[in-house]
Amino acid sequence: KQWYQRRVRADKKFNYIILGLGSDGHTASLFQNSILFSETTDFKHVEVDTSTSPQRLTVNFDLINRSDWVSILVTGSGKRDIIRSIKEGEKYPVSNVVNDQLTWFIDEILL
């Protein structure tokens, strides 16, 4: 955790972040109901409701949004409902990604 904090503080932002999208609308291990253990300016230590690696260190939306470019990759037929909901204006954790250089790459089977 401290190594990452030193690296990011030295640069203040990432050049490019590639994110995925969960079928529940989460991204970067930032789930709707995550339990926050600790937070610094750029990082969060969260617990999520999964059986595999329930405690995770992740970046926060402020750091994601300060990046020069952000891409969200979405693949798999299980994401069809979440893409439809996002298009209809529903809000999910991924909705907090706001960047002038945001590009969505969505598998054509989801469109």
Side-chain angles (χ1 to χ4, degrees):
K1 178 177 167 181
Q2 291 175 349
W3 181 87
Y4 285 110
Q5 288 175 333
R6 284 194 305 271
R7 294 289 296 161
V8 171
R9 287 210 180 124
D11 297 329
K12 301 287 187 209
K13 64 181 179 178
F14 287 115
N15 292 3
Y16 184 48
I17 291 183
I18 302 171
L19 302 169
L21 176 68
S23 59
D24 59 357
H26 85 274
T27 192
S29 291
L30 297 166
F31 292 79
Q32 193 76 28
N33 298 313
S34 298
I35 297 169
L36 179 65
F37 284 114
S38 64
E39 183 173 18
T40 65
T41 304
D42 298 318
F43 292 90
K44 288 186 175 193
H45 178 201
V46 296
E47 182 170 63
V48 296
D49 187 22
T50 66
S51 58
T52 58
S53 67
Q55 290 192 17
R56 302 175 184 192
L57 175 66
T58 187
V59 296
N60 62 29
F61 287 113
D62 184 55
L63 180 61
I64 292 169
N65 294 333
R66 281 196 325 258
S67 300
D68 290 332
W69 292 279
V70 179
S71 292
I72 300 174
L73 306 177
V74 188
T75 62
S77 60
K79 311 280 176 70
R80 186 172 283 118
D81 290 340
I82 195 71
I83 290 297
R84 185 178 309 117
S85 294
I86 291 169
K87 284 175 155 182
E88 291 171 355
E90 289 191 47
K91 299 298 180 193
Y92 296 93
V94 73
S95 305
N96 293 300
V97 178
V98 180
N99 184 290
D100 290 338
Q101 297 298 322
L102 173 61
T103 304
W104 287 74
F105 294 97
I106 302 173
D107 192 335
E108 68 181 337
I109 65 169
L110 302 177
L111 300 175

